[in-house]
Amino acid sequence: MTATTVLTARALLLDMDGTLVNSDASVERVWRRWADRNGLDGDEVMKVVHGRQGYASMALLLPDRPMEQNHADNARMLAEETADTDGVVPIPGAPEFLAALRGLPHALVTSADVALSTARMGAAGLALPDVRVTAESVGASKPDPEGFLKGAAELGTAPADCVAFEDSGAGITAARAAGMRVVGVGPRAALHGPDALVRDLTEVRVEAAADGTVRLHIG
């Protein structure tokens, strides 16, 4: 971006994978093994899985398979992903971005469960926000807006006063359905028309305004 965009919010809602943490190497390893086990093309599988909970991705990829089997596979894969943190690193600028948010209203809204989000944030050397909406917190996966709506409610902020940070199509769709503006992070986000787009979090500057709002200088 050549010009700076300024967005004002009362709270920020942050996705994890692809937004704060680069876990692509682990995600690829686990999902390509699953694709092989199920006779699917790994490249096609990888087009679907980002942003969603595992069972929801499986339901799209194998629509005739019983959902109980998807949930069972999902539980196994969460355990695999939690144990596989090789190559998990922070998105550039994430440590400074989170440091700038200390004391300001923000929450993690992730499709990962508690164990996986704790493992990946820890591997990346990032502190977990105090408010977290994980897989255990919701009944529906992104692109359903439930997670973002819960995050806004926990922060006591109207959805329209929130800005979400997301990297995936499913996540951007979920945040939009919740009535939020979206900052897209990275190349995946560019395909889904976020309100603002950054290469990584080095392109975001956080300013705490005197009226209690958060100003985001993007670009």
Side-chain angles (χ1 to χ4, degrees):
M1 298 179 73
T2 55
T4 299
T5 299
V6 179
L7 297 177
T8 300
R10 294 202 169 274
L12 306 184
L13 300 177
L14 316 173
D15 175 51
M16 181 182 71
D17 293 300
T19 301
L20 297 174
V21 171
N22 182 345
S23 56
D24 282 359
S26 173
V27 172
E28 288 256 351
R29 285 191 292 269
V30 170
W31 275 101
R32 286 186 182 276
R33 285 199 298 269
W34 181 87
D36 288 344
R37 288 197 298 268
N38 288 279
L40 298 174
D41 180 86
D43 291 340
E44 294 304 311
V45 167
M46 294 314 301
K47 292 176 184 176
V48 172
V49 301
H50 293 289
R52 293 179 173 86
Q53 291 191 44
Y55 74 84
S57 296
M58 294 170 196
L60 289 174
L61 292 161
L62 295 171
D64 298 325
R65 193 164 81 150
M67 190 57 80
E68 313 87 75
Q69 193 172 346
N70 294 337
H71 281 288
D73 260 13
N74 186 45
R76 282 191 292 271
M77 289 179 69
L78 281 169
E80 286 182 47
E81 289 182 292
T82 301
D84 180 3
T85 56
D86 188 32
V88 173
V89 295
I91 294 290
E96 297 82 3
F97 177 66
L98 287 173
L101 292 181
R102 284 191 198 118
L104 301 176
H106 66 287
L108 189 72
V109 180
T110 176
S111 293
D113 63 4
V114 169
L116 181 57
S117 57
T118 301
R120 283 190 175 156
M121 291 288 280
L126 299 175
L128 282 160
D130 291 337
V131 178
R132 301 184 286 276
V133 178
T134 62
E136 295 94 338
S137 311
V138 297
S141 168
K142 297 173 185 177
D144 190 281
E146 182 185 0
F148 282 113
L149 292 172
K150 284 201 167 184
E154 287 203 36
L155 294 171
T157 306
D161 291 329
C162 296
V163 169
F165 282 71
E166 267 287 359
D167 74 300
S168 70
I172 290 170
T173 298
R176 279 263 169 76
M180 299 174 184
R181 292 157 293 158
V182 185
V183 175
V185 180
R188 280 193 292 267
L191 304 173
H192 303 283
D195 296 282
L197 178 68
V198 296
R199 181 183 65 246
D200 56 43
L201 295 171
T202 64
E203 297 181 353
V204 181
R205 183 169 65 84
V206 177
E207 177 192 1
D211 63 357
T213 60
V214 180
R215 289 200 188 102
L216 301 168
H217 300 264
I218 297 163

